[in-house]
Amino acid sequence: MGKKKVLVTGGAGYIGSHTVECLLAEGYSPIIVDDLSSGHKEAVVGGEFVKANIGDKKAMDEIFKKYKPDSVIHFAGFIEAGESMNRPKDFFANNVVCGLNLLDVMLENGVKKIVFSSSAGVYGEPEQVPITENCSKKPTNVYGLTKLIFEQVLESYKNAYGLTYVALRYFNAAGADPKGKLGADHKHKTHLITRALLAAVGKIPHLDVFGTDYPTKDGTCIRDYIHVNDLANAHILALNKLESGESAIYNLGSEKGFSVKEIINVVEETTGKKLNVVLSPRRAGDSAVLVASSEKIRNELGWQPKYSDIHTIVKTAWDWQKSHPEGYAKYIR
């Protein structure tokens, strides 16, 4: 029996590239589909790469017919929550309409297994902390809403067409591959740890802290950070889950929350540099506290995060920043 083929949309992106590396290590044969609008060809460490947009139905149909994947991991989509409030049309088109196109091509080619890259953004302001999968879903930004809509689409397709899915609701993905090959090189550098490290090396003049009047211990937002390699490993477990024929939704988090100010302290400690911090007003759509309960995926799939200590997360991200000062474009070999 040959290697199982997995089509990975957005596989040249941050989490996608780390997952492809994990798939290869586990003996899968990945087919990476990415239009490189935000991903990087240099981040593709193996497998078959095809440059295409999942909104191009003809191109996607040709890819499915050529490679005949057994299942799909779907990362491709816009991810900037703040930007989604200003560009809702683009986010609905990319995250929902293009996703529907992908599902239609899957069904037309007899592929009925998908792992979906969802988000903690589906919850909005949580009714309890830590957040469980059964908490109410009231997204506070368009990005979270697009993820929730697509989850509902998957459930409808399951009921109508026999699709099997696992939706993984990420909290804050962070860190970099400890082996140093892969890291975060986002087109829009909006993530806190990334920006803090850029501030540490002087690539941006200061670090904005958006909101200091939240109902938290130090007035800044609290988030749950999970190492990208731990996220990647969860996708392997999700693929195994699909083989059971059962669909499921899981949170992926470390179950520990850190405030913006606490992250700044860890970055300063790790880099040995004092950050120039500018206190700014709140951003629209930001929740005060987002911390996950990952008890369900731990119990059902045996997921065990290995790298998600906050100091490990920041150190691996810092090591990547130092060895790839210009991201994938130019780096120290």
Side-chain angles (χ1 to χ4, degrees), residues 2 6-7 16 39 47 51 53 66 70 91 102 104 110 117 175 192 201 217-218 258 280 285 288 291 314 329:
V6 183
L7 189 142
K51 184 179 179 181
N53 186 291
K66 178 178 179 179
D70 302 290
F91 275 71
L102 171 66
D104 289 347
S117 166
L192 173 61
V201 295
K217 54 192 170 185
D218 60 23
F258 295 91
S280 302
V291 177
V314 173

Side-chain angles (χ1 to χ4, degrees), residues 13-14 17-18 43 175-177 180-186 228 320 324 328:
Y14 174 44
S17 62
H18 286 78
D177 173 25
K181 289 188 292 184
L182 301 170
D185 185 5
H186 299 292
V228 63
W320 161 263
H324 298 70
Y328 286 106

Side-chain angles (χ1 to χ4, degrees), residues 73-194:
I73 303 179
H74 178 35
F75 292 105
F78 292 152
I79 62 171
E80 298 84 13
E83 195 175 342
S84 75
M85 304 297 283
N86 300 320
R87 296 171 48 210
K89 181 176 72 170
D90 297 335
F91 275 71
F92 283 115
N94 202 32
N95 293 5
V96 179
V97 178
C98 288
L100 286 168
N101 181 76
L102 171 66
L103 293 180
D104 289 347
V105 175
M106 285 176 60
L107 292 177
E108 288 165 9
N109 286 276
V111 180
K112 294 190 173 184
K113 293 181 286 191
I114 182 170
V115 178
F116 173 51
S117 166
S118 191
S119 168
V122 302
Y123 296 110
E125 284 291 350
E127 60 189 20
Q128 68 180 57
V129 177
I131 302 165
T132 66
E133 290 82 357
N134 295 324
C135 286
S136 61
K137 285 81 185 170
K138 297 175 183 176
T140 55
N141 54 61
V142 173
Y143 165 69
L145 180 58
T146 63
K147 292 294 189 179
L148 180 59
I149 289 170
F150 199 72
E151 283 188 10
Q152 293 168 338
V153 168
L154 291 173
E155 181 67 16
S156 298
Y157 274 48
K158 182 195 81 169
N159 295 333
Y161 309 121
L163 187 79
T164 306
Y165 72 90
V166 173
L168 298 175
R169 292 174 180 157
Y170 310 160
F171 284 66
N172 280 36
D177 173 25
K179 293 187 289 294
K181 289 188 292 184
L182 301 170
D185 185 5
H186 299 292
K187 182 178 180 182
H188 302 287
K189 302 186 190 307
T190 58
H191 294 77
L192 173 61
I193 292 175
T194 297

Side-chain angles (χ1 to χ4, degrees), residues 309-324:
D309 170 80
I310 195 63
H311 291 87
T312 302
I313 287 173
V314 173
K315 184 182 184 305
T316 56
W318 176 233
D319 289 345
W320 161 263
Q321 171 66 40
K322 288 187 293 183
S323 63
H324 298 70

